[in-house]
Amino acid sequence: MQFTRADFPDDFIFGAATAAYQIEGHSFGGAGSTHWDTFAATPGNVFGAHDGAVACDHYHRFEADLDLLQSAGMDAYRFSTSWARVLPEGRGQVNEEGLDFYDRLVDAILARGLKPFQTLYHWEMPSALADLGGWTNRDVAQWFGDFTDIIMARIGDRIESVATLNEPWCVSFLSHFLGHHAPGKRDIRATARAMHHVNLAHGEAMARLRARGQKNCGIVLNFEHSQPGNDTPEAQAAAELQDAIYNQWFIGAIAKGSYPQRVLDGFGQHMPKDWQADMELISQPIDWLGVNYYTRNLIVPAPELPWPSINVTADPLPKTDMGWAIFPEGLRNILGRLSKDYVGDMPIYVTENGMAWNDTLTDEGVDDPARTDYINGHVLAVKEAIEAGANMKGFFYWSLLDNYEWAFGYDKRFGIVHVDYETQVRTPKASFHALAQALKTNR
Ligand code: FCB
């Protein structure tokens, strides 16, 4: 790595991120069914029909996994608390075993001198609520608020920071318009509703957190670098529309209380009635912003398709095993833009950044120089963003462990720690050691 801690401000933290359904093993400990269990059980949705039933068995192995995090010299751990583990039906009966698990997890994080960064929703929608329409039902905001109260009453006294939701664009657009993620809808009306209700749920959860006196409350949004795929005015317009849907809709609602007009024009009559009245709750102040960044997309017009009439075209840049172009400059740009146009001096964390690689485990371990380069490039982009004035407070690598990569099942490996899913043996990769080395150098 071409950086050490000395390149960053004293209070800048390094960590790794995970999410409940992707690592815990959702068949353990009385968790309820989620929409990912049923999505995966339906042919054609998920590679190999893989699901999160066992995943990395983190439910039983979290102590050893946290030891790894600590041994890398990290400062913090970002994890999510599964709604369906705490409330198997989404509401009503609490699963005490689930609350106990998160209680022990938080204590184990603290016992290792790590800061717990909690995410309330990283896509673990209880099936019983999916039956009622999930994110398309306005009541989801109250259901989510109630879950927030229940889990925070148990662990809120010990966590360092809490995010309401992870990646609302994926929760709504990717899952209800493109159909790639659970619940796999492809419907513009469902999308318009989900894209508003996910913000409403954020606002409701923020209000509940504030009422409890919870400190350090924020949200994790995903951003990409949306770039015109050629130099025509049509490609420019297509990229601007993609940018509005992906990069502006959520942060605009939260930071400014408004939605981009060109997206509202597309959603037309499909927006929920009187959505305007919710914008005040949605745009209440947050304490920090989490940014997940992975790639850029080259956008071209697709006039043969209905709105938004856009497509992604081939990118000449080197790609990760997901086929995602590697473009650290995009991270620097988005951080600068967010601080200038939206959040000012508010603390910003990169809450996810990482790459999948087709890793090979040998007797010597896993040699993954491409991942080390990826991390290096993106951490240096964060450093440049700081120099340009962004109030950056931390960087979390996605992910600590190889894990359940949603529609790609266990086929894509993002970890700095390799997981053998047959034996559950963990092997830190060369990138883990490179990062640990960089973090060892004290300021
Ligand atoms: C993000 C998700 C995370 C993981 C990475 C690769 O969109 O938040 O769970 O799947 O992508």
Side-chain angles (χ1 to χ4, degrees):
M1 303 287 181
Q2 293 162 313
F3 66 89
T4 70
R5 284 181 180 276
D7 295 310
F8 289 86
D10 283 350
D11 59 352
F12 189 91
I13 60 165
F14 287 89
T18 65
Y21 191 80
Q22 293 177 276
I23 62 165
E24 287 176 357
H26 229 262
S27 57
F28 309 127
S33 171
T34 77
H35 65 177
W36 271 97
D37 294 297
T38 57
F39 185 71
T42 311
N45 286 338
V46 175
F47 176 87
H50 296 166
D51 63 26
V54 176
C56 307
D57 190 24
H58 180 73
Y59 186 79
H60 299 108
R61 296 167 195 264
F62 67 93
E63 301 259 4
D65 290 340
L66 293 172
D67 287 344
L68 284 168
L69 198 74
Q70 185 190 33
S71 74
M74 303 252 189
D75 311 300
Y77 177 49
R78 175 170 177 247
F79 64 102
S80 77
T81 44
S82 165
W83 189 345
R85 180 175 294 292
V86 172
L87 291 159
E89 297 289 310
R91 317 176 274 182
Q93 188 66 45
V94 171
N95 173 31
E96 289 300 333
E97 252 184 280
L99 284 180
D100 288 347
F101 171 68
Y102 292 122
D103 203 56
R104 286 183 283 128
L105 178 68
V106 170
D107 282 345
I109 297 168
L110 292 171
R112 287 162 180 78
L114 300 164
K115 295 181 196 308
F117 275 62
Q118 178 193 4
T119 301
L120 284 161
Y121 184 78
H122 201 126
W123 312 351
E124 306 94 0
M125 172 64 74
S127 295
L129 300 182
D131 293 344
L132 302 176
W135 291 107
T136 65
N137 186 332
R138 181 180 174 85
D139 293 344
V140 71
Q142 292 303 320
W143 303 332
F144 185 56
D146 294 345
F147 160 60
T148 299
D149 273 327
I150 291 167
I151 182 68
M152 299 324 282
R154 187 63 178 265
I155 63 170
D157 58 329
R158 280 156 293 151
I159 58 149
E160 173 77 15
S161 124
V162 57
T164 53
L165 294 124
N166 180 70
E167 300 192 347
W169 179 85
C170 292
V171 171
S172 52
F173 201 86
L174 185 68
S175 311
H176 295 77
F177 198 78
L178 301 177
H180 296 172
H181 276 190
K185 281 190 183 283
R186 292 167 63 83
D187 184 282
I188 193 169
R189 180 177 165 93
T191 305
R193 275 144 207 276
M195 280 180 80
H196 181 64
H197 294 151
V198 71
N199 285 335
L200 184 62
H202 159 77
E204 180 63 27
M206 280 300 297
R208 306 284 188 110
L209 293 167
R210 294 298 185 210
R212 310 188 61 79
Q214 196 69 43
K215 298 280 184 311
N216 271 333
C217 308
I219 186 168
V220 171
L221 306 179
N222 52 321
F223 298 91
E224 66 163 33
H225 187 85
S226 312
Q227 195 175 311
N230 58 53
D231 51 19
T232 62
E234 290 78 15
Q236 178 68 36
E240 281 170 14
L241 179 53
Q242 164 71 1
D243 185 75
I245 296 171
Y246 199 115
N247 294 324
Q248 296 173 27
W249 179 270
F250 303 98
I251 189 62
I254 291 162
K256 300 181 175 170
S258 64
Y259 288 134
Q261 189 56 46
R262 63 181 89 208
V263 186
L264 285 175
D265 291 345
F267 283 152
Q269 74 278 24
H270 304 303
M271 283 295 284
K273 194 162 170 286
D274 296 335
W275 60 266
Q276 292 88 344
D278 298 326
M279 297 314 275
E280 200 181 320
L281 183 68
I282 292 172
S283 61
Q284 67 192 284
I286 56 174
D287 301 321
W288 59 274
L289 176 67
V291 172
N292 293 357
Y293 172 84
Y294 288 92
T295 192
R296 83 167 175 187
N297 273 312
L298 299 183
I299 310 297
V300 286
E304 70 283 8
L305 299 176
W307 185 92
S309 314
I310 55 180
N311 248 329
V312 176
T313 192
D315 192 315
L317 287 175
K319 314 231 171 27
T320 73
D321 198 31
M322 298 291 282
W324 296 350
I326 301 174
F327 190 61
E329 295 92 305
L331 176 58
R332 189 196 57 209
N333 287 350
I334 196 70
L335 295 173
R337 182 177 164 200
L338 287 167
S339 71
K340 190 162 82 49
D341 295 347
Y342 291 98
V343 300
D345 279 344
M346 184 190 293
I348 305 177
Y349 294 84
V350 172
T351 33
E352 281 181 33
N353 171 252
M355 75 176 280
W357 195 242
N358 191 5
D359 297 312
T360 325
L361 178 65
T362 67
D363 291 346
E364 277 90 61
V366 176
D367 192 25
D368 59 342
R371 185 173 286 108
T372 301
D373 282 355
Y374 184 100
I375 298 172
N376 185 58
H378 287 82
V379 170
L380 291 178
V382 174
K383 184 176 168 236
E384 287 171 18
I386 295 173
E387 286 156 7
N391 189 16
M392 300 305 305
K393 291 294 182 203
F395 176 92
F396 290 80
Y397 180 75
W398 181 273
S399 177
L400 174 64
L401 305 170
D402 290 339
N403 61 43
Y404 181 68
E405 182 42 39
W406 308 113
F408 297 87
Y410 297 97
D411 190 44
K412 301 295 179 200
R413 294 180 176 273
F414 274 90
I416 43 174
V417 175
H418 179 275
V419 176
D420 178 328
Y421 295 110
E422 300 283 302
T423 60
Q424 294 293 351
V425 168
R426 274 62 163 152
T427 309
K429 302 177 189 176
S431 56
F432 173 102
H433 297 299
L435 188 54
Q437 190 59 39
L439 299 185
K440 222 177 253 162
T441 326
N442 280 326
R443 293 188 176 93

